[in-house]
Amino acid sequence: MQPASQTNGRINLDPDNAEDGLAQLVMTVIELLRQIVERHAMRRVEGGTLTEEQVEDLGVALMNLEEKMEELKEVFGLEAEDLNIDLGPLGNLL
């Protein structure tokens, strides 16, 4: 599957590439959520509210999630920059 064609960082959802564009959009949302979870986890680690075992478990979980994201990007033929959608005046998403 090839990624949806992009113009200036925006997803082009023409009928022939709708499936590709949808995959790109879903992967973008998942990556955004992954980054939010990672930032929240780092704040908790830095706040000192977690045990050493919880910090270790959290680190392993985050590494596994990032690894799975890389696998999915490969399956859908996407690069990291494909997930950084241009939101116009708001700038880039990621």
Side-chain angles (χ1 to χ4, degrees):
M1 178 181 297
Q2 294 181 9
S5 59
Q6 287 192 1
T7 306
N8 297 327
R10 294 184 182 195
I11 295 177
N12 181 7
L13 288 178
D14 66 60
D16 296 332
N17 291 339
E19 185 177 297
D20 296 338
L22 182 59
Q24 181 183 4
L25 181 60
V26 169
M27 289 293 296
T28 298
V29 170
I30 293 170
E31 177 61 15
L32 177 62
L33 292 173
R34 186 195 70 76
Q35 288 184 18
I36 290 169
V37 167
E38 185 175 295
R39 288 183 193 123
H40 180 69
M42 292 308 298
R43 280 195 295 273
R44 289 196 62 199
V45 168
E46 291 168 357
T49 60
L50 302 176
T51 67
E52 202 169 300
E53 183 178 340
Q54 288 172 320
V55 170
E56 181 68 26
D57 290 344
L58 188 56
V60 169
L62 290 173
M63 285 190 308
N64 289 340
L65 184 56
E66 187 171 355
E67 190 175 296
K68 183 54 80 176
M69 282 297 297
E70 291 302 317
E71 289 175 22
L72 289 170
K73 283 191 280 188
E74 188 174 317
V75 166
F76 291 110
L78 297 169
E79 299 293 328
E81 57 270 7
D82 295 327
L83 304 182
N84 194 9
I85 297 173
D86 180 5
L87 298 175
L90 297 175
N92 289 333
L93 180 62
L94 304 174

